């Protein structure tokens, strides 16, 4: 039965509301993979999906669609991957009590790399922003402060989910097999080392760029806005510390000061290790 059909059956509504559909999907979801946009969530998503595809021999046409893999094998729980629309919110939702019975994998990345990547998302992959990067960094919604707010809310709510694991984008670069194995273990999915290795090979940057250029999955999740503009690709650079190539000295002073003053010390070992966070 479809999600809509399940809601109709349970609530008796001929046409369920968007809120009812959201409630039903959340109720059925056991595992969440969360991050602010541009933290490497598509990359992690593809690795998880390919590992499950290889291990369970699913023959999935699009291994990024991990939210549907529970339909293909009974040992796979419903997994949901989302950014919670944090980049569009005036105020980030606090509390997170709705995740109290869930497993949450929280992907984080140096906020400076995130905000630069968000700038290209907003200016090259869409038309949401037309100004200079310095103005984007400083804007309230979608800029650096929004990233910090989202991180801080989850630092305060890390105790809420049934299980909560922080995954560092930079560690995913350095030791992908170990990090992916930890993620799958957190999800209670006993995936073979061979399937993990196959997933890492499949989801390496060069292959993802080729898949995106070819629109291999026919999906907006992995499709360039402009095939002739490298900055418009979803797999844009995937570089640690790439923000230094785009931020001016004044911009860098600004972002470092904001991170030092506002980012929760919970992230001292995860984000911007060269910045002394507030006590």
């Amino acid at each position: 039965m479809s999600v809509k059909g399940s809601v109709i059956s349970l609530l008796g509504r001929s046409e369920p509301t968007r809120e009812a559909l959201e409630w039903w999907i959340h109720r059925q979801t056991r595992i969440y993979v969360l991050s602010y946009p541009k933290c490497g969530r598509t990359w992690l998503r593809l690795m998880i999906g390919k590992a499950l595809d290889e291990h369970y021999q699913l023959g999935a046409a699009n291994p990024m669609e991990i939210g549907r893999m529970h339909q293909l094998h009974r040992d796979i729980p419903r997994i949901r991957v989302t950014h919670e629309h944090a980049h569009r919110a005036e105020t980030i939702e606090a509390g997170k009590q709705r995740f109290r019975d869930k497993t949450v994998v929280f992907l984080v990345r140096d906020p400076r790399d995130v905000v630069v990547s968000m700038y290209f998302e907003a200016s090259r992959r869409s038309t949401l922003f037309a100004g200079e990067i310095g103005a984007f960094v400083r804007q309230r919604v979608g800029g650096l402060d929004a990233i910090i707010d989202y991180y801080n809310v989850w630092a305060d709510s890390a105790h809420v989910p049934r299980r909560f694991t922080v995954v560092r984008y930079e560690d995913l670069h350095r030791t992908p097999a170990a990090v992916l194995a930890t993620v799958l273990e957190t999800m209670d999915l006993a995936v073979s080392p061979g399937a993990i290795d196959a997933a890492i090979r499949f989801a390496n940057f060069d292959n993802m760029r080729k898949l995106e250029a070819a629109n291999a999955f026919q999906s907006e999740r992995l499709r360039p806005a402009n095939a002739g503009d490298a900055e418009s690709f979803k797999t844009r650079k995937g570089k640690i510390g790439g923000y230094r190539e785009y931020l001016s000295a004044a911009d860098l002073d600004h972002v470092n000061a904001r991170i030092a003053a506002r980012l929760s010390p919970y992230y001292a070992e995860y984000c911007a290790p060269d910045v002394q966070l507030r006590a």
Side-chain angles (χ1 to χ4, degrees):
M1 184 182 293
S2 68
V3 171
K4 182 179 287 189
S6 298
V7 176
I8 291 171
S9 175
L10 182 67
L11 301 180
R13 295 176 178 173
S14 58
E15 188 60 37
T17 63
R18 184 174 181 178
E19 290 76 14
L21 290 171
E22 170 63 28
W23 169 82
W24 175 258
I25 293 171
H26 178 72
R27 177 182 173 181
Q28 297 299 310
T29 300
R30 283 174 46 193
I31 298 168
Y32 275 89
V33 179
L34 303 177
S35 81
Y36 197 87
K38 312 309 294 182
C39 284
R41 196 177 61 254
T42 299
W43 181 31
L44 179 58
R45 176 191 203 121
L46 183 58
M47 282 197 282
I48 293 170
K50 188 61 177 177
L52 296 177
D53 182 45
E54 290 283 333
H55 182 79
Y56 292 105
Q57 295 295 290
L58 303 176
N62 182 355
M64 284 196 301
E65 296 299 332
I66 61 177
R68 299 177 182 175
M69 286 184 171
H70 65 283
Q71 300 170 352
L72 304 178
H73 198 286
R74 64 183 181 182
D75 290 342
I76 300 175
R78 185 188 284 270
I79 304 169
R80 192 173 186 190
V81 185
T82 178
H83 46 55
E84 300 186 86
H85 305 291
H87 59 303
R88 301 173 185 170
E90 291 282 350
T91 304
I92 306 298
E93 173 200 17
K96 303 299 183 182
Q97 289 301 313
R98 67 192 185 95
F99 293 94
R100 62 187 177 276
D101 61 342
K102 311 296 183 183
T103 291
V104 172
V105 174
F106 190 60
L107 179 62
V108 299
R109 184 184 185 186
D110 189 318
R112 296 166 293 188
D113 277 328
V114 177
V115 77
V116 167
S117 193
M118 279 297 300
Y119 167 72
F120 285 107
E121 177 76 19
S123 62
R124 300 290 184 88
R125 287 183 59 81
S126 72
T127 56
L128 295 176
F129 189 83
E132 298 297 322
I133 192 169
F136 181 85
V137 165
R138 291 166 174 80
Q139 69 177 7
R140 181 67 195 86
V141 177
L144 179 71
D145 279 338
I147 300 166
I148 294 173
D149 286 347
Y150 185 64
Y151 281 13
N152 288 349
V153 162
W154 270 110
D156 291 341
S157 302
H159 65 284
V160 173
R162 181 180 66 86
R163 183 179 294 177
F164 183 80
T165 296
V166 177
V167 175
R168 188 170 176 253
Y169 173 87
E170 291 78 5
D171 290 338
L172 200 56
H173 261 271
R174 296 184 181 110
T175 56
V179 174
L180 181 56
T182 297
V183 168
L184 293 166
E185 182 180 348
T186 298
M187 295 177 170
D188 288 326
L189 289 164
V191 175
S192 68
I196 289 173
D197 289 342
I200 291 167
R201 289 194 301 271
F202 184 78
N204 72 59
F205 184 87
D206 289 341
N207 194 49
M208 281 189 69
R209 175 58 76 94
K210 290 176 184 176
L211 291 169
E212 181 172 6
N215 195 17
F217 299 140
Q218 300 293 306
S219 170
E220 64 180 14
R221 292 195 177 102
L222 198 64
R223 176 190 299 157
N226 177 359
D229 180 4
E231 300 287 15
S232 80
F233 274 65
K234 192 79 170 178
T235 49
R236 191 179 62 84
K237 282 197 173 181
K239 185 177 179 180
I240 296 172
Y243 64 86
R244 296 183 182 91
E245 301 173 18
Y246 299 98
L247 296 178
S248 68
D251 292 338
L252 191 54
D253 286 345
H254 171 79
V255 298
N256 284 343
R258 296 301 286 171
I259 291 169
R262 298 198 61 242
L263 185 63
S264 168
Y266 180 89
Y267 296 105
E269 64 179 294
Y270 298 114
C271 300
D274 57 320
V275 176
Q276 182 64 47
L277 302 185
R278 60 187 169 87

